[in-house]
Amino acid sequence: MQLYHRQHGAEQPYWSAGPFKIRLPFIHYRWEIPEMVQALIMFVVSVGMIPLLEQYLGLPYDVALAYVIVCGIGFMLPALLGVPLVPGWITPAIPVVVLFLGDFEPGAEAIQAMFALQFLVFLIFAVLGVTGLGSALVRLVPNSLKAGIIIGVGVAAIMGEIEEGGRLAETPISITIGSLVSAFLLFSIAFKSWVEKNAIARFIANYGIVPGMVIAIAVGWLIGEYDVPSIEWTITSPAFGEMWHYLPFTVGFPGPDIFMLAIPTALVAYVIAFGDIVVGRSLMARIDHMRPDEQIDYNMDRVHHVTAIRNGIHAFFAPYPGLAGPIWTAVTATIAERYKNGREAMESIYSGGGTFWITGFLALFLMPLVSLFQPVLPIALSLTLILTGYICLMVGLEQATSTVERGVAGTTAVVLAVYGAAWGLAVGALLYLLIEKRNLFGRERKAEVPGENEN
């Protein structure tokens, strides 16, 4: 189904372009039907940004839809440029971004503030990517701090859903059933054994989170937790012409004072995104050894380059409260689980991710799909956050290998989830220096400490 084919054990074919590795569907990888079907449902999560764009930036619906189209273009870039992750927003940072935007009047003022924040995020990713410090950070940050960041992000994601007034409290039955079904299909040991023996279970497993979401949506409609949709049989009409009036080129660029106000939020957003990058690295490491037929090139600098490009595009052409994050954890994990089943199931990790977001982008123009799922957008967003939280907990707990590391990581995670990323990082670094570091004022010595790895 594609022009170039991979030799066993080699890297997926590509065209070299500086730091990037360009891959196109049907030329460098095949089209994956299960990922296409997933995307025709999961794309609606990206449409869920429209209410925030309307409320905090003061955009009309059609202009907000045009912003979402720009976001969709950015979602296709990682697979195109050589990053094996399925991209998304910096989802756990959204509450912090919304809090920042709340100090500005919706309209020109808020758009300028959002530009300042997203441009700073672009600069952080660009500088760390160009200098190579992004790769160095992953090597230098202690395991306990990595684990604490990942676990804390997971706890924060789940807390945001289950707290009083959250989406789970408003529509408990459909979201609970969808979460349980999705978790069972993705992570259950019993279901994995069924997949090995049963063709029907294997077929269901190919679609990852989608069966759980479909069941949740059906339950929500049946019991009245969500309105039944009114289908519109047309093509969506994003207002690209009018969008120019809501961009920094027209409303004006922010002054130095707004940039200064945006710095703390930008740093917090990168700390959270850094945790996402570590999660992505761990997910790729978990599956790479299971597929000896393909060599996965997970280049940290390239992840930073591509994420910087996406945030730069957003800053100038669609300032976005979701920001541009390196990974959509729930979907990346879903694709990774199917990837484990071998080359016949998924030809390449890039064919899965590439097919998913190309389909998702095209689906944004299909009004029957957009109107069908629009009433149940909270389900899609909630399942994404809950599964993201579970995956972060699973991966984060693997990072800490000793009792001391687990103690530092757990404390860091709690502080991060309750007080925010900046405080969590500060507490984690302090605890590492005071408790975990063997040589407080010098270089670390790699020595075994009796009982260190005891459970």
Side-chain angles (χ1 to χ4, degrees), residues 384-409:
T384 297
L385 287 169
I386 290 169
L387 291 175
T388 296
Y390 181 88
I391 293 163
C392 287
L393 293 175
M394 179 177 66
V395 173
L397 289 170
E398 283 186 346
Q399 292 282 328
T401 58
S402 71
T403 53
V404 172
E405 286 184 354
R406 285 190 283 271
V408 172

Side-chain angles (χ1 to χ4, degrees), residues 85-390:
L85 306 177
V86 180
W89 306 324
I90 307 180
T91 308
I94 291 176
V96 183
V97 174
V98 165
L99 187 63
F100 168 72
L101 290 176
D103 294 330
F104 301 92
E105 188 70 24
E109 191 177 299
I111 292 170
Q112 289 179 358
M114 192 64 240
F115 169 84
L117 172 59
Q118 194 137 34
F119 186 77
L120 289 173
V121 173
F122 153 73
L123 283 181
I124 294 171
F125 274 101
V127 169
L128 292 178
V130 169
T131 60
L133 291 175
S135 299
L137 276 176
V138 176
R139 292 193 297 269
L140 293 175
V141 174
N143 280 343
S144 56
L145 208 50
K146 292 179 191 174
I149 291 171
I150 298 170
I151 295 169
V153 168
V155 171
I158 295 174
M159 282 175 55
E161 293 304 302
I162 66 175
E163 66 185 2
E164 186 177 350
R167 278 176 287 267
L168 183 65
E170 294 178 357
T171 54
I173 299 175
S174 53
I175 291 178
T176 298
I177 291 175
S179 299
L180 292 175
V181 171
S182 297
F184 177 77
L185 297 180
L186 284 175
F187 308 115
S188 168
I189 297 173
F191 185 71
K192 289 185 192 306
S193 67
W194 296 353
V195 169
E196 295 173 0
K197 304 171 185 175
N198 188 286
I200 295 176
R202 196 155 47 246
F203 175 80
I204 294 172
N206 280 341
Y207 293 94
I209 190 177
V210 169
M213 186 170 295
V214 169
I215 290 172
I217 289 170
V219 170
W221 284 337
L222 285 172
I223 66 175
E225 284 189 338
Y226 293 93
D227 295 332
V228 176
S230 176
I231 309 298
E232 299 179 34
W233 299 95
T234 182
I235 302 295
T236 56
S237 303
F240 291 113
E242 191 180 349
M243 183 175 73
W244 182 258
H245 300 295
Y246 296 87
L247 296 180
F249 304 104
T250 303
V251 303
F253 289 90
D257 56 329
I258 297 181
F259 277 102
M260 292 298 293
L261 290 172
I263 287 175
T265 307
L267 292 175
V268 167
Y270 179 75
V271 169
I272 294 172
F274 174 77
D276 286 341
I277 291 172
V278 175
V279 170
R281 181 171 177 263
S282 299
L283 283 174
M284 292 302 106
R286 283 162 60 93
I287 63 173
D288 194 20
H289 72 280
M290 298 182 181
R291 285 284 300 269
D293 61 287
E294 179 177 13
Q295 176 189 344
I296 300 176
D297 177 20
Y298 186 78
N299 185 289
M300 296 294 299
D301 295 334
R302 189 178 303 122
V303 174
H304 278 76
H305 291 324
V306 176
T307 309
I309 291 170
R310 291 173 55 220
N311 278 289
I313 292 172
H314 268 300
F316 287 98
F317 299 105
Y320 221 62
L323 301 172
I327 183 174
W328 184 351
T329 309
V331 175
T332 301
T334 297
I335 290 177
E337 286 297 315
R338 201 172 79 80
Y339 178 77
K340 292 178 184 178
N341 295 330
R343 192 166 184 174
E344 289 186 4
M346 185 184 297
E347 198 254 341
S348 166
I349 194 68
Y350 299 98
S351 64
T355 300
F356 182 89
W357 267 129
I358 292 173
T359 303
F361 176 74
L362 296 175
L364 291 171
F365 294 94
L366 302 177
M367 195 62 185
L369 286 176
V370 173
S371 59
L372 172 65
F373 294 114
Q374 197 163 5
V376 291
L377 286 178
I379 289 179
L381 190 56
S382 285
L383 290 187
T384 297
L385 287 169
I386 290 169
L387 291 175
T388 296
Y390 181 88

